[in-house]
Every structure is written in structure tokens, then in C-alpha cells.
Amino acid sequence: MRYELMLPHQIRKAIAENWPVALPLGVLEYHGEHMAVGMDTLAVVKTLELFEKERDVVILPPFYYGAASYAVAPPEGSGSVQVGGTALAPFGEELFYSLLRIGFRNIHAIIHHQTENFAAGMPTDLAFKTAGRQAIFRFLEKERGEGWWGSQAMAAYYAEHAEGSNFFNWVQVHPLMSADMKYPFDHAGIGETSLMLALCPEAVDAAHFGDNKSWYTASAPEASAELGQKGVAMIMDHLRAILRI
């Protein structure tokens, strides 16, 4: 369900049944002359819309204003919007803390931007990972007081942790596409263009392929909705694995 359309009784039901809460996280960034600047976020939004048809999930309004950087192109006339990680982390902490206060314990931010480096991290995902940890510590200290972890009530912490009961999993950040997916990772090339042709064809205009002059867009004319559907199938399997009750 879309969070902005939910009624309080539906929110309470989602909390009671521990539905996953998904934040589409991304950027507005130049993706060549042929593709919409919202591609990274749109890929998350559109696949979550498909997932929503299969399982119970709360989909938060998407956050488009991540750290796009100007590494691909300067912003003038290209459309890239850059908000640095130092500004994102405080926002993310307040957002996650608020969601924890509401009662959610199965919160996931999902990102498709620079995730070929996800293990090491890049500015947007690192900011939201830090924000999630900070929000959890802040929430636990408020609810349980200082010294909560060292109290006798936590004596079974390591055993419960080994069994998978871990409050640090209340907020997680994931890449939309895992590193082991056999799908082209690129920027505005055959891989991403195909995803948009499959998920959001109005975000691609083939008439402008010829306007591209950059190396990273050279393979874009080879894109197809058929290839994109293969990528979507892989993403859906990934979402089924991470968005569990």
C-alpha cells in the first residue's frame, strides 16, 4: 500500500503483521540525451509497484534528492541535482526515527545509484546507512534508557543475534540489483535503457540516441524491452528475498 493513502487502521495492521516498509531512494541525474533524469529512482518505484501486486508492503513516497554528483556531467542544462551526504544523513535519521516511533520494525531503503560499489558504499547509500544506525541507537536509548544494552535484560543478546533476532535489522539499505545478477551494469547504456523500456517506456526517447556523444551511452541503441524484462525478473527475485515479514 502507498503510505500516503493509508488510513490509521491500515497502518496499525501493517505494524501488527510486520509488513516491510520500502523507501525508494535515488537521485535526479543526467542519463544521456535519450533518457529521463529520474531513471535511478524510477527503476525502484516501478519494480516496487510490481512487488506490491504480489505481497503486502508499505511503499513510502520516493526520495529523489540524493547525491547525484556532477561526475557524469555538469548540471547546467543537463538536469543533475546534487545534495551532499552530509545533508542527507540528518534527514535520513529523522525519517527513520519517525518510522520507528510509529511502530515499524521492518524498514528498507532501496537504491539504484552507484551500487556497483555498494559493499564499500557511495555518498547516498552511506548517508542512509549511517542514518539508520543512528536512528536505531537513538530510539533504543529513548525507549530503554542509557545502559540498555548492558542491562541484565540483554543477557541473551548474542544467542538471539545468532538466531537472527537483531534490532539493527529494523532499518536496512539495499541495492536494487545485487552484484551477482547476470545483467549489464552501466549508466544510461544498454542495461539501464532496457530497464526503462520494460518498466517506464515513456522515460526513453529513441529519437535522441543520435544526440549522445558520451562513451557510456554508446550501447544504448542496442537496448530492448525484452532484455529489460530479464532484468526485472532478477530484481523481483531480489525483492522477494529482502522484503520479508
Side-chain angles (χ1 to χ4, degrees), residues 50-74:
L50 295 175
F51 184 82
E52 183 185 23
K53 296 176 182 178
E54 293 185 6
R55 299 187 185 179
D56 292 326
V57 61
V58 176
I59 302 177
L60 296 170
F63 183 83
Y64 279 87
Y65 301 103
S69 86
Y70 302 137
V72 172

Side-chain angles (χ1 to χ4, degrees), residues 106-163:
N106 193 4
I107 303 163
H108 305 263
I110 303 171
I111 183 170
H112 180 69
H113 174 66
Q114 299 178 327
T115 52
E116 68 275 14
N117 296 300
F118 193 79
M122 294 295 270
T124 304
D125 57 88
L126 282 174
F128 278 82
K129 289 174 186 174
T130 299
R133 287 291 183 264
Q134 289 292 106
I136 291 168
F137 273 107
R138 178 177 158 195
F139 178 79
L140 288 170
E141 188 166 308
K142 176 184 182 297
E143 293 295 303
R144 305 182 185 186
E146 294 181 353
W148 62 268
W149 190 87
S151 70
Q152 189 60 33
M154 294 297 296
Y157 169 77
Y158 286 110
E160 292 173 354
H161 190 280
E163 294 172 0

Side-chain angles (χ1 to χ4, degrees), residues 169-215:
N169 287 336
W170 287 351
V171 180
Q172 301 180 59
V173 182
H174 311 274
L176 182 67
M177 303 180 72
S178 62
D180 60 354
M181 286 185 186
K182 305 301 181 184
Y183 186 83
F185 275 83
D186 59 28
H187 178 79
I190 184 175
E192 289 196 336
T193 305
S194 294
L195 279 180
M196 282 295 94
L197 287 173
L199 290 167
C200 188
E202 63 269 32
V204 178
D205 189 344
H208 288 275
F209 282 144
D211 298 334
N212 288 318
K213 308 300 180 187
S214 304
W215 64 267

Side-chain angles (χ1 to χ4, degrees), residues 66-84:
S69 86
Y70 302 137
V72 172
E76 290 79 9
S78 72
S80 293
V81 174
Q82 161 67 12
V83 179

